[in-house]
Amino acid sequence: MAEAPHAQNPGRIEIRPLRVRWVAWISAIVLVAAMTTVAVLLRTESTGVYFRTADQVAIVLLGVLIALGVLVLTLARVRADENGVEVRNLLITRTVPWSEVLEVRFPDGERWARLELPDDEYLPVSAIQLVDGQRAVAAMARLRALHAAYHSAAHGSSES
């Protein structure tokens, strides 16, 4: 999801994916509900094995752990301001100054955007995803506008 720039600093943006967050939260809730249902039914149905309360609690906790694993997908974020771009993909956060960002791209056939860096490197930006449609287009436009404004300023000051 592309959120509006902060009112006090129009040159700062924060972008998070929308559809993936919805799917992850719904999946996590369904997982916990399903595992809880299984845990309750194991005690009432005759399966040939006697399940104790500890087994039921373990099944529910396993569902919670799997749900937390799914919710890791909601952590994707990109923040950008005059200093550079901070990209968080799953659990790794990397900050890149504008002087190192050669281009902000969304290559054909890719699922998310990326920052082109020197030496043929790139940094995936999973916060801007193809499935978000027009939100992704708007987010790319805003990120490219910041890149255009601050990349040239960073190169202008470093060459002086």
Side-chain angles (χ1 to χ4, degrees):
M1 174 173 131
E3 297 170 5
H6 295 91
Q8 69 272 19
N9 189 353
R12 178 174 170 72
I13 60 171
E14 182 172 322
I15 302 163
R16 294 177 181 265
L18 177 64
R19 198 161 284 168
V20 167
R21 286 178 27 197
W22 276 100
V23 170
W25 275 104
I26 291 169
S27 299
I29 291 167
V30 169
L31 272 165
V32 171
M35 294 299 266
T36 302
T37 302
V38 167
V40 169
L41 292 178
L42 281 177
R43 195 77 183 256
T44 60
E45 294 292 319
S46 176
T47 61
V49 177
Y50 180 68
F51 286 93
R52 298 181 181 172
T53 304
D55 299 319
Q56 291 175 296
V57 171
I59 290 172
V60 173
L61 288 178
L62 180 62
V64 169
L65 287 175
I66 294 170
L68 289 174
V70 169
L71 290 177
V72 166
L73 297 173
T74 66
L75 296 177
R77 177 190 73 212
V78 62
R79 288 181 179 163
D81 59 18
E82 65 275 358
N83 298 318
V85 184
E86 178 189 278
V87 177
R88 182 171 63 196
N89 294 323
L90 296 183
L91 300 175
I92 307 291
T93 301
R94 182 170 172 195
T95 302
V96 181
W98 286 117
S99 59
E100 291 183 21
V101 179
L102 303 177
E103 186 179 4
V104 178
R105 294 188 59 215
F106 205 120
D108 288 338
E110 294 293 324
R111 294 179 183 204
W112 45 71
R114 67 188 198 186
L115 303 177
E116 297 292 336
L117 305 174
D119 300 324
D120 293 327
E121 290 185 55
Y122 67 89
L123 178 61
V125 181
S126 61
I128 304 175
Q129 299 188 0
L130 181 65
V131 295
D132 283 338
Q134 288 302 314
R135 290 179 181 274
V137 171
M140 282 298 290
R142 292 180 25 229
L143 193 56
R144 285 178 174 156
L146 281 178
H147 176 256
Y150 296 131
H151 179 74
S152 59
H155 276 293
S157 63
S158 65
E159 293 173 4
S160 302

